Amino acid sequence: MKSWQKTAVALAIATFAGAVAAESMPVRGTGDYSWDSLKPFDSMDFSGVTITVAGPWLAPENGYIRRALEPFEKATGATIKYSGSDSFEQQILIDAQAGTPPNLAIFPQPGLAADLASRGYLTPAPDKVRQGVLDNYAAGQSWVDLATYADKSGKEQFYGVFFRVDVKSLVWYSPDNFDEYGYEVPETLEELMALSEQIVKDGNTPWCIGLGSGAATGWPATDWVEDLMLRTQPASVYDQWVSHDIRFNDSRVVKAIETFGEIAKNDDYFPAYASKDLGKPVLGSGTVAAITKPTKATEALLEYLLTPLAHELWMEKGGFLTANKLVNTDLYKTDTERAMGDILLNATTFRFDGSDLMPGAIGAGAFWTGMVDYVSGASAQSIATDIENAWKELEK
């Protein structure tokens, strides 16, 4: 028995067919699902073939991913076995090194996938999958870039499909309060800052920002800085910052921190700057599916994950967002999720949470504590320099 299978047994995860039985799959051709997207797979015959899939999802989400994959099984005759683990990041590396990986792995962040690609443990995706992402995803080039990593020889290759993503570029507000005071929802960052000033003039407090999160205190502030980097600089500069190709105390980074301070350190909402012509960038996170043990059936399954049907079957269960432009957004479980899905579909650029891509000692260490120091009174320049020095020490 392979190690990923042992993990599945230890976690008492049911077989694909058993779990799906409890998920009340809709009958093909019924409802408002994109059944037509399943047609290309009807001509594929993978009878007797088993495809193993590993990922981070446990109950109830393991049932949702099985539900999303069942139409592929019925169309092709393949059997899919999914195993989820709360220690996926460690287990997938162990299995890859042992030569016993699953066919398909679903990574909770691209940094881990990039690491395995650099060690030669991932197989590049077929060209038609890459083209499918470009054609079918809003801000398609962003999603291709996020799944493109250097292989063992250093050559950049495209590896995967983002399946289930999250949005971080959100500002929550009270519609009742806005109605009471006659405020309009701002559509640009300039309007947002002007509204903040107006709320202060009206004797109210415009913002409530919490940075406390136990051992992770400070992370909300890092998201603000990342969002503001995307709204004050081109995406290429954001990428250079995340990869440390520009210094952390670069003037453009310091300015983003100071812009956050105009809100967080003001005693008296996240759209884009209209004047900067940088489009509609969105910050978020997501899971990327990539091939760790290639077979023809696995390549077909990766292609299936691009279909709107695969997304819709989880969307209606809740807790699932997608940038796939072909999905029926009426199938989102809640109006809130539909609104967040619209943000993704209207995005011109998507970037992954920067601190999650930085080395752990920086993104989940010096950056967190530095932002707490900044809100407590330190200057943007000094904390940015402290973080830069910490990064330089790490690279020695």
Side-chain angles (χ1 to χ4, degrees), residues 124-135:
D127 288 341
K128 63 180 177 180
V129 173
R130 180 181 182 278
Q131 191 60 48
V133 173
L134 288 171
D135 293 343

Side-chain angles (χ1 to χ4, degrees), residues 301-323:
L301 180 59
L302 188 63
E303 185 180 352
Y304 169 75
L305 289 179
L306 280 174
T307 67
L309 176 64
H311 298 233
E312 292 164 351
L313 289 170
W314 191 338
M315 284 165 52
E316 70 170 355
K317 289 296 182 178
F320 187 98
L321 301 177
T322 179

Side-chain angles (χ1 to χ4, degrees), residues 271-285:
Y273 272 112
S275 59
K276 292 187 178 291
D277 193 27
L278 295 175
K280 295 181 178 180
V282 171
L283 180 73
S285 58

Side-chain angles (χ1 to χ4, degrees), residues 22-33:
E23 280 299 324
S24 62
M25 273 293 298
V27 175
R28 181 170 180 172
T30 64
D32 296 323
Y33 309 95

Side-chain angles (χ1 to χ4, degrees), residues 77-144:
T79 297
I80 301 174
K81 292 185 177 180
Y82 170 80
S83 62
S85 172
D86 56 4
S87 58
F88 169 83
E89 293 88 344
Q90 294 77 32
Q91 193 63 53
I92 189 63
L93 182 56
I94 292 171
D95 291 344
Q97 290 174 328
T100 58
N103 295 115
L104 192 76
I106 304 176
F107 297 88
Q109 53 181 256
L112 178 59
D115 180 45
L116 264 70
S118 70
R119 302 178 187 217
Y121 295 141
L122 295 190
T123 299
D127 288 341
K128 63 180 177 180
V129 173
R130 180 181 182 278
Q131 191 60 48
V133 173
L134 288 171
D135 293 343
N136 299 339
Y137 276 47
Q141 187 62 54
S142 292
W143 297 104
V144 167

Side-chain angles (χ1 to χ4, degrees), residues 55-352:
W57 300 311
L58 303 177
E61 293 166 316
N62 58 351
Y64 300 159
I65 180 62
R66 293 182 178 109
R67 185 178 196 268
L69 298 180
E70 187 189 15
F72 178 87
E73 278 194 312
K74 290 186 174 181
T76 66
T79 297
I80 301 174
K81 292 185 177 180
Y82 170 80
S83 62
S85 172
D86 56 4
S87 58
F88 169 83
E89 293 88 344
Q90 294 77 32
Q91 193 63 53
I92 189 63
L93 182 56
I94 292 171
D95 291 344
Q97 290 174 328
T100 58
N103 295 115
L104 192 76
I106 304 176
F107 297 88
Q109 53 181 256
L112 178 59
D115 180 45
L116 264 70
S118 70
R119 302 178 187 217
Y121 295 141
L122 295 190
T123 299
D127 288 341
K128 63 180 177 180
V129 173
R130 180 181 182 278
Q131 191 60 48
V133 173
L134 288 171
D135 293 343
N136 299 339
Y137 276 47
Q141 187 62 54
S142 292
W143 297 104
V144 167
D145 293 343
L146 281 169
T148 299
Y149 321 118
D151 62 15
K152 195 172 184 178
S153 67
K155 182 180 179 180
E156 294 288 314
Q157 305 260 29
F158 171 74
Y159 286 96
V161 171
F162 274 85
F163 184 78
R164 190 190 185 194
V165 298
D166 296 298
V167 173
K168 291 197 171 188
S169 305
L170 299 173
V171 172
W172 300 91
Y173 73 102
S174 170
D176 289 342
N177 288 345
F178 269 50
D179 290 343
E180 180 180 351
Y181 288 95
Y183 300 142
E184 295 183 1
V185 177
E187 296 184 0
T188 67
L189 202 46
E190 291 92 340
E191 292 178 0
L192 176 67
M193 302 302 280
L195 175 60
S196 297
E197 294 177 4
Q198 183 61 52
I199 293 175
V200 171
K201 290 178 182 178
D202 292 342
N204 297 313
T205 302
W207 292 93
C208 177
I209 303 172
L211 301 187
S213 185
T217 291
W219 74 259
T222 68
D223 282 5
W224 278 82
V225 175
E226 291 155 8
D227 251 311
L228 286 164
M229 279 293 290
L230 280 176
R231 282 156 175 75
T232 58
Q233 303 298 327
S236 58
V237 174
Y238 178 93
D239 296 338
Q240 291 171 338
W241 171 56
V242 169
S243 61
H244 205 209
D245 289 331
I246 63 172
R247 295 175 290 116
F248 204 102
N249 57 351
D250 183 279
S251 61
R252 293 164 290 188
V253 182
V254 173
K255 179 60 179 175
I257 297 172
E258 290 174 338
T259 303
F260 167 59
E262 293 178 25
I263 295 173
K265 300 178 74 172
N266 194 325
D267 293 331
D268 301 309
Y269 281 28
F270 244 166
Y273 272 112
S275 59
K276 292 187 178 291
D277 193 27
L278 295 175
K280 295 181 178 180
V282 171
L283 180 73
S285 58
T287 54
V288 59
I291 298 173
T292 39
K293 187 177 182 181
T295 66
K296 288 296 183 182
T298 305
E299 290 184 1
L301 180 59
L302 188 63
E303 185 180 352
Y304 169 75
L305 289 179
L306 280 174
T307 67
L309 176 64
H311 298 233
E312 292 164 351
L313 289 170
W314 191 338
M315 284 165 52
E316 70 170 355
K317 289 296 182 178
F320 187 98
L321 301 177
T322 179
N324 192 312
K325 296 183 294 186
L326 303 181
V327 298
N328 178 3
T329 58
D330 290 340
L331 290 171
Y332 273 116
K333 186 175 183 179
T334 67
D335 290 340
T336 298
E337 288 174 327
R338 188 174 301 107
M340 290 191 288
D342 286 344
I343 290 174
L344 281 168
L345 294 181
N346 289 319
T348 57
T349 302
F350 183 95
R351 284 298 184 270
F352 207 88

